[in-house]
């Protein structure tokens, strides 16, 4: 589903990027992360094809979707500060009601949108919580279990937090290299830091409002073996106990919701925007979003992706020119290929070289020192791993060439 035009869609991430001087490095890091994402997605596809369990021949051992394609659904969206919701009669909690939504249908009526505002309560301003309770039911049926027309096999729902709590950002600090330590208060003035100021105390958590709620119904009519549901689907499958069939999967799509779109909630906030979207999503696209988010988490856990780089990568796709992105990827690939060929030719030449005629040993040493300085500079500035690996390999080759250009001996003298 395309991201909303108001704020860029629905998907969470880290800190937004810094100044313009860091953009080249950010784009290189995004290119490296994209390579890992594609590798993981391809591996997941082939693993699911070749290692997925075989379906049993007996249809009674298979679990299927309780709803049919194109079936008409009604939707209710409630906002409540309670994680468990049962106040279906509250008109103040109901923020959106839609009827006649065709399930897994890609027609013009399958996608609906609503833009409004929400007034946070005093409890929410005081570091409270808020949840969106979304319910679907077959047209003509009620999602309220206390209603006489309620049918358990005809209604389903899911809860999603609308407010997330993040640590409060601290004021930027500066250190005086010559002299005492100083601290910036964020307004341009600098004050001396005392011993009491060094202990900042516990982390303060602040509630942030998510302005976009994108509700996707996954188009999934697969007949899964009851005891062998694929592990990438099992955590999200809502199985009905009596029939052992599953309800349609509700996916709150926050993939394109960047962190800089979050709105901090405090005593001065009287109202916040609320953009609601509902529509179908294909099984392939849903799994791709899940795999990409999982790959971001893996990169962050291994330290190959800094906090906030996932948002920068998404921003490149949201705001960048697709043709320019394609050219950048091709140039990056060619850069790696040419680096490999240059390293190969350099190693072959020095490995076969038996004479230093026409060559300077001092220039080899100077090249190594220069290459080492460049490598240390890139390492200190958190450069892309692709550029860092290329510079590191070049530095190792220059060091190896010193041994080929000069005869080095280490003499150990024994003292009487």
């Amino acid at each position: 589903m395309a991201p909303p035009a108001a704020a860029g869609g629905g998907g969470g991430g880290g800190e937004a990027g810094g100044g313009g001087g860091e953009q080249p490095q950010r784009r290189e890091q995004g290119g490296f992360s994209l390579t890992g994402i594609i590798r993981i997605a391809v591996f997941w596809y082939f693993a699911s094809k070749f290692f997925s369990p075989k379906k049993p021949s007996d249809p009674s051992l298979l679990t299927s979707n309780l709803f049919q394609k194109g079936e008409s659904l009604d939707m209710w969206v409630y906002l409540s500060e309670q994680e468990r919701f049962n106040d279906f009669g509250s008109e103040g909690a109901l923020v959106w009601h839609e009827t006649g939504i065709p399930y897994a249908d890609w027609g013009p009526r399958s996608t609906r949108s609503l833009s409004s505002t929400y007034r946070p309560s005093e409890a929410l301003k005081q570091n409270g919580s808020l949840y969106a309770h979304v319910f679907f039911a077959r047209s003509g049926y009620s999602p309220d279990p206390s209603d006489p027309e309620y049918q358990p096999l005809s209604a389903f729902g899911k809860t999603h937090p609308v407010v997330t709590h993040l640590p409060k950002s601290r004021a930027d600090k500066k250190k005086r290299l010559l002299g005492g330590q100083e601290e910036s208060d964020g307004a341009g003035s600098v004050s001396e830091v005392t011993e009491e100021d060094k202990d900042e105390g516990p982390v303060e958590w602040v509630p942030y409002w998510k302005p976009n709620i994108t509700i996707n119904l996954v188009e999934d009519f697969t007949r899964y073996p009851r005891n062998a549901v694929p592990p990438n689907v099992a955590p999200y499958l809502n199985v009905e106990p009596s029939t052992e069939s599953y309800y349609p999967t509700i996916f709150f799509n926050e993939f394109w919701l960047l962190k800089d779109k979050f709105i901090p909630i405090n005593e001065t906030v009287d109202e916040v925007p609320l953009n609601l979207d509902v529509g179908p999503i294909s099984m392939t696209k849903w799994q791709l979003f899940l795999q990409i988010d999982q790959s971001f988490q893996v990169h962050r856990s291994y330290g190959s992706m800094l906090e906030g780089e996932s948002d920068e990568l998404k921003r490149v796709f949201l705001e960048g020119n697709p043709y320019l992105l394609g050219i950048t990827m091709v140039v990056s690939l060619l850069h790696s290929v040419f680096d490999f060929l240059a390293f190969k030719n350099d190693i072959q030449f020095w490995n076969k070289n038996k004479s230093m005629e026409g060559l300077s040993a001092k220039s080899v040493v100077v090249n190594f020192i220069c290459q080492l300085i460049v490598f240390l500079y890139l390492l200190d500035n958190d450069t892309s791993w692709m550029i860092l690996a290329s510079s590191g390999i070049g530095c190792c080759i220059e060091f190896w060439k010193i041994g080929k250009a000069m005869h080095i001996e280490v003499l150990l003298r024994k003292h009487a």
Side-chain angles (χ1 to χ4, degrees):
M1 179 176 176
E15 294 287 347
E22 297 181 359
Q23 290 301 320
Q25 294 181 7
R26 294 292 188 184
R27 288 180 181 273
E28 291 291 346
Q29 290 169 345
F32 174 77
S33 302
L34 182 61
T35 305
I37 292 168
I38 296 175
R39 188 185 303 113
I40 292 176
V42 173
F43 175 78
W44 164 80
Y45 174 79
F46 284 103
S48 61
K49 288 294 183 182
F50 292 101
F51 298 102
S52 58
K54 294 183 178 180
K55 295 182 180 180
S57 57
D58 188 0
S60 62
L61 300 178
L62 296 176
T63 178
S64 58
N65 198 327
L66 286 169
F67 289 69
Q68 303 296 324
K69 184 179 179 66
E71 192 167 354
S72 181
L73 302 177
D74 296 341
M75 182 189 69
W76 295 261
V77 179
Y78 297 89
L79 291 184
S80 171
E81 297 180 6
Q82 304 298 325
E83 189 172 1
R84 292 184 176 273
F85 183 80
N86 55 10
D87 191 10
F88 291 90
S90 174
E91 296 182 358
L94 181 63
V95 295
W96 194 19
H97 177 50
E98 287 284 343
T99 60
I101 301 176
Y103 171 53
D105 185 89
W106 297 89
R109 290 184 51 81
S110 61
T111 302
R112 314 277 179 94
S113 300
L114 174 68
S115 295
S116 63
T117 58
Y118 181 81
R119 294 183 176 274
S121 64
E122 292 298 326
L124 183 58
K125 295 179 181 179
Q126 300 296 329
N127 211 9
S129 299
L130 189 70
Y131 300 90
H133 306 276
V134 180
F135 298 93
F136 288 91
R138 288 187 173 95
S139 295
Y141 291 89
S142 172
D144 186 2
S146 62
D147 193 292
E149 297 181 355
Y150 175 76
Q151 294 290 337
L153 300 181
S154 299
F156 59 97
K158 192 173 183 180
T159 300
H160 179 70
V162 183
V163 173
T164 182
H165 293 78
L166 301 175
K168 184 178 181 180
S169 58
R170 302 183 184 274
D172 295 335
K173 295 182 179 180
K174 297 180 181 179
K175 291 184 179 180
R176 180 186 294 174
L177 298 180
L178 299 177
Q181 184 180 3
E182 295 184 349
E183 180 181 10
S184 174
D185 59 1
S189 60
V190 179
S191 59
E192 194 73 21
V193 176
T194 61
E195 291 296 330
E196 292 79 6
D197 295 332
K198 292 182 179 179
D199 186 10
E200 298 178 351
V203 177
E204 182 180 356
W205 294 84
V206 178
Y208 284 84
W209 175 266
K210 301 176 184 178
N212 297 332
I213 302 177
T214 302
I215 307 164
N216 289 146
L217 288 175
V218 181
E219 184 183 4
D220 182 18
F221 299 97
T222 308
R223 296 172 63 86
Y224 298 105
R226 293 183 178 178
N227 298 326
V229 180
N232 57 329
V233 177
Y236 306 95
L237 209 62
N238 184 12
V239 179
E240 202 281 321
S242 61
T243 61
E244 295 192 14
S245 298
Y246 61 90
Y247 295 101
T249 302
I250 301 176
F251 174 53
F252 290 94
N253 191 352
E254 293 187 345
F255 186 81
W256 298 111
L257 181 59
L258 307 183
K259 189 176 178 182
D260 62 349
K261 301 298 182 182
F262 291 177
I263 302 174
I265 300 178
N266 49 46
E267 293 79 3
T268 62
V269 178
D270 295 329
E271 61 180 22
V272 288
L274 178 62
N275 302 307
L276 300 170
D277 292 271
V278 62
I281 186 173
S282 65
M283 184 70 173
T284 303
K285 190 175 181 179
W286 173 55
Q287 287 294 306
L288 181 61
F289 283 163
L290 296 179
Q291 290 297 321
I292 292 177
D293 280 335
Q294 183 179 1
S295 68
F296 285 158
Q297 297 177 5
V298 172
H299 279 296
R300 283 193 291 266
S301 63
Y302 287 135
S304 58
M305 174 180 286
L306 301 177
E307 189 69 28
E309 288 185 4
S310 59
D311 269 21
E312 286 304 309
L313 178 59
K314 294 176 184 178
R315 192 186 305 278
V316 169
F317 287 98
L318 283 173
E319 302 176 358
N321 189 322
Y323 298 103
L324 182 60
L325 293 177
I327 294 175
T328 302
M329 294 179 61
V330 172
V331 171
S332 300
L333 180 61
L334 293 178
H335 179 272
S336 301
V337 173
F338 291 151
D339 268 351
F340 173 78
L341 295 177
F343 292 152
K344 181 180 72 69
N345 293 335
D346 206 13
I347 293 174
Q348 287 180 348
F349 172 78
W350 283 95
N351 193 35
K352 297 178 181 179
N353 183 45
K354 304 299 182 182
S355 173
M356 287 296 295
E357 183 178 357
L359 301 174
S360 173
K362 292 182 179 179
S363 65
V364 176
V365 176
V366 171
N367 287 338
F368 167 71
I369 296 175
C370 295
Q371 189 76 16
L372 180 62
I373 293 174
V374 172
F375 174 75
L376 295 177
Y377 173 79
L378 296 176
L379 183 64
D380 184 63
N381 285 272
D382 296 328
T383 311
S384 165
W385 284 96
M386 182 176 65
I387 303 298
L388 197 62
S390 176
S391 179
I393 294 174
C395 188
C396 294
I397 293 176
E398 293 294 334
F399 180 75
W400 169 75
K401 284 159 61 175
I402 294 177
K404 302 293 293 185
M406 304 174 64
H407 184 65
I408 303 175
E409 292 183 355
V410 179
L411 302 177
L412 300 177
R413 294 182 179 181
K414 293 184 179 180
H415 296 279

